[in-house]
Amino acid sequence: MSQRTYGDGCGAALALDVVGERWALHIVRELVFGPKRFRDLRNALPNASQNVLSQRLRELENEGVVRRVELGPPVSARAYELTDSGRELEPVLVELARWGARRATLGGAEMSTDAFMLLLKVFYRPPAPDTPALAVRLAVGVDAFDVTATPSGVSVVRGGHSEVHATVRADVRTLRALIFTRLTVAEGAETGDALVTGDADAAQRFFRLFDKGR
């Protein structure tokens, strides 16, 4: 726990004693979809200094929110991942993102790839109950996420190993535009901002499953 405490027995205050420090919840957000190395966290959170990031990771580790793991093979690397307790914060982050999205325009500051993937859960508008599942791989840089949309919800899995109807490779700015503006998949492909393989029509239907008005 941070040296600072609210000294309040309310559950919300006790939770904020653990994750209320600056950048703590950002770290949790970046680990929702799987482990990351320290340098990956630094890249995703460029406005957090290395010292602050290290301190927050130590605090979260001491509180049982994150833990250190070894990734590999083929390349062994030390990384951080959420514990079971840390993963329980995902719905909290989704609701915070939903609440915050109503308070500002979506066009402002940049966001990390993982922040965008979490945003998909905020703005998902489930189709009719008899609608077949639709799976699309979103590739951003070296990262890939398989996003499966069903009438019961949307799942996001880092890795890119399942069967999908289409793959869309683009940066976060373009992916946001495909959801929150009138930009179509065909237009993004024509300008070179998006590379689409597989069923382009399925990709277009996928991006229309999200509603910025939610």
Side-chain angles (χ1 to χ4, degrees), residues 2-212:
S2 166
Q3 292 181 351
R4 292 187 291 273
T5 176
Y6 290 102
D8 189 323
C10 165
L14 293 172
L16 289 173
D17 281 344
V18 177
V19 295
E21 292 288 354
R22 187 170 174 83
W23 299 111
L25 277 177
H26 290 74
I27 292 171
V28 174
R29 181 197 70 196
E30 291 301 313
L31 298 177
V32 163
F33 301 115
K36 284 188 174 183
R37 298 167 297 181
F38 183 84
R39 72 178 184 183
D40 296 326
L41 290 170
R42 283 279 287 144
N43 290 337
L45 303 171
N47 293 323
S49 71
Q50 180 170 325
N51 288 340
V52 168
L53 190 58
S54 296
Q55 181 179 347
R56 293 294 171 268
L57 283 165
R58 285 194 300 270
E59 293 168 353
L60 292 171
E61 189 175 6
N62 290 338
E63 287 296 324
V65 177
V66 305
R67 62 185 166 220
R68 285 182 245 195
V69 294
E70 292 290 333
L71 300 181
V75 178
S76 295
R78 177 171 292 182
Y80 295 88
E81 70 175 7
L82 294 179
T83 62
D84 289 343
S85 176
R87 282 191 289 273
E88 291 175 351
L89 288 167
E90 180 181 347
V92 177
L93 283 167
V94 170
E95 291 306 317
L96 276 174
R98 179 174 289 117
W99 185 81
R102 294 196 297 267
R103 300 176 60 84
T105 63
L106 290 165
E110 296 294 328
M111 65 170 56
S112 71
T113 304
D114 287 69
F116 172 78
M117 297 303 161
L118 190 71
L119 203 66
L120 294 179
K121 297 195 173 190
V122 173
F123 292 110
Y124 183 59
R125 184 184 61 214
D130 58 347
T131 305
L134 180 58
V136 171
R137 180 168 300 138
L138 302 180
V140 183
V142 298
D143 250 333
F145 297 79
D146 288 351
V147 186
T148 303
T150 71
S152 60
V154 61
S155 68
V156 182
V157 178
R158 173 183 272 115
H161 300 301
S162 59
E163 291 188 9
V164 296
H165 296 92
T167 296
V168 179
R169 177 171 291 279
D171 59 18
V172 170
R173 182 182 294 274
T174 300
L175 292 176
R176 290 173 71 183
L178 286 168
I179 289 177
F180 300 124
T181 75
R182 295 181 180 275
L183 180 69
T184 66
V185 169
E187 290 168 343
E190 184 176 352
T191 61
D193 292 322
L195 175 63
V196 184
T197 56
D199 188 340
D201 289 337
Q204 184 61 52
R205 292 198 306 275
F206 169 82
F207 286 112
R208 291 299 174 256
L209 290 172
F210 301 89
D211 181 4
K212 66 180 179 181

